[in-house]
Short mmCIF file of all heavy atoms in Angstrom, two decimals:
data_model
loop_
_atom_site.label_atom_id
_atom_site.label_comp_id
_atom_site.label_asym_id
_atom_site.label_seq_id
_atom_site.Cartn_x
_atom_site.Cartn_y
_atom_site.Cartn_z
N GLY A 759 71.95 138.18 106.69
CA GLY A 759 72.30 136.77 106.71
C GLY A 759 71.31 135.91 107.46
O GLY A 759 71.38 134.67 107.38
N CYS A 766 50.68 134.17 105.39
CA CYS A 766 49.50 134.89 104.93
C CYS A 766 48.33 133.93 105.03
O CYS A 766 48.32 132.90 104.34
CB CYS A 766 49.69 135.36 103.49
SG CYS A 766 48.25 136.18 102.79
N ALA A 768 44.29 133.26 104.67
CA ALA A 768 43.09 133.75 104.00
C ALA A 768 41.86 133.33 104.78
O ALA A 768 41.79 132.23 105.33
CB ALA A 768 43.04 133.18 102.59
N ALA A 786 59.49 149.31 99.56
CA ALA A 786 60.42 150.05 100.39
C ALA A 786 60.05 151.53 100.35
O ALA A 786 59.38 151.97 99.40
CB ALA A 786 61.84 149.84 99.89
N GLY A 802 50.85 124.33 91.56
CA GLY A 802 51.71 123.57 90.67
C GLY A 802 53.00 124.24 90.27
O GLY A 802 53.93 123.56 89.81
N PHE A 814 64.62 132.91 98.74
CA PHE A 814 63.25 132.89 99.24
C PHE A 814 62.50 131.68 98.66
O PHE A 814 62.76 131.27 97.52
CB PHE A 814 62.50 134.15 98.82
CG PHE A 814 62.96 135.42 99.49
CD1 PHE A 814 64.12 135.47 100.25
CD2 PHE A 814 62.22 136.58 99.34
CE1 PHE A 814 64.54 136.65 100.85
CE2 PHE A 814 62.61 137.76 99.94
CZ PHE A 814 63.78 137.79 100.69
N LYS A 822 45.11 124.75 105.60
CA LYS A 822 45.12 125.86 106.55
C LYS A 822 44.85 127.20 105.87
O LYS A 822 44.88 128.24 106.52
CB LYS A 822 46.47 125.92 107.28
CG LYS A 822 46.76 124.69 108.13
CD LYS A 822 48.10 124.83 108.85
CE LYS A 822 48.38 123.61 109.71
NZ LYS A 822 49.70 123.72 110.40
N VAL A 825 49.61 130.71 103.01
CA VAL A 825 50.76 130.74 102.12
C VAL A 825 51.92 131.34 102.91
O VAL A 825 51.75 132.33 103.63
CB VAL A 825 50.48 131.59 100.87
CG1 VAL A 825 51.74 131.75 100.05
CG2 VAL A 825 49.41 130.94 100.03
N GLN A 828 59.35 131.79 103.04
CA GLN A 828 60.56 131.56 103.82
C GLN A 828 61.68 132.39 103.22
O GLN A 828 61.99 132.23 102.03
CB GLN A 828 60.94 130.08 103.81
CG GLN A 828 62.22 129.76 104.56
CD GLN A 828 62.10 130.00 106.05
OE1 GLN A 828 61.10 129.65 106.66
NE2 GLN A 828 63.12 130.60 106.64
N SER A 831 69.09 134.10 104.08
CA SER A 831 70.21 134.94 103.62
C SER A 831 69.75 136.36 103.35
O SER A 831 70.04 136.94 102.30
CB SER A 831 70.82 134.33 102.35
OG SER A 831 71.28 133.02 102.60
N ARG A 848 43.46 134.61 87.74
CA ARG A 848 44.66 134.22 87.00
C ARG A 848 45.27 132.93 87.53
O ARG A 848 45.13 132.60 88.70
CB ARG A 848 45.69 135.35 87.07
CG ARG A 848 45.22 136.61 86.40
CD ARG A 848 46.21 137.74 86.59
NE ARG A 848 45.75 138.98 86.00
CZ ARG A 848 46.10 139.37 84.79
NH1 ARG A 848 46.92 138.63 84.06
NH2 ARG A 848 45.65 140.51 84.32
N GLY A 856 47.54 142.03 88.63
CA GLY A 856 47.02 140.68 88.51
C GLY A 856 46.29 140.17 89.74
O GLY A 856 45.75 139.08 89.72
N TRP A 860 44.30 142.06 98.79
CA TRP A 860 45.58 142.39 99.40
C TRP A 860 45.48 142.35 100.92
O TRP A 860 44.47 142.76 101.50
CB TRP A 860 46.02 143.80 98.97
CG TRP A 860 46.38 143.86 97.52
CD1 TRP A 860 45.54 144.05 96.46
CD2 TRP A 860 47.69 143.69 96.98
NE1 TRP A 860 46.24 144.01 95.29
CE2 TRP A 860 47.57 143.80 95.57
CE3 TRP A 860 48.95 143.47 97.53
CZ2 TRP A 860 48.67 143.68 94.70
CZ3 TRP A 860 50.04 143.36 96.67
CH2 TRP A 860 49.89 143.46 95.29
N VAL A 868 66.05 144.52 107.79
CA VAL A 868 67.29 143.76 107.83
C VAL A 868 68.42 144.74 108.12
O VAL A 868 68.68 145.65 107.34
CB VAL A 868 67.54 143.01 106.52
CG1 VAL A 868 68.80 142.14 106.64
CG2 VAL A 868 66.34 142.15 106.15
N SER A 869 69.09 144.53 109.23
CA SER A 869 70.18 145.42 109.61
C SER A 869 71.52 144.89 109.11
O SER A 869 71.71 143.67 109.00
CB SER A 869 70.23 145.57 111.13
OG SER A 869 70.49 144.32 111.74
N SER A 870 72.40 145.80 108.80
CA SER A 870 73.71 145.40 108.26
C SER A 870 74.72 145.16 109.36
O SER A 870 74.49 145.46 110.51
CB SER A 870 74.23 146.47 107.31
OG SER A 870 74.31 147.71 107.97
#
Side-chain angles (χ1 to χ4, degrees):
C766 177
F814 290 11
K822 297 181 179 179
V825 173
Q828 178 66 43
S831 301
R848 296 175 183 264
W860 291 85
V868 184
S869 63
S870 57

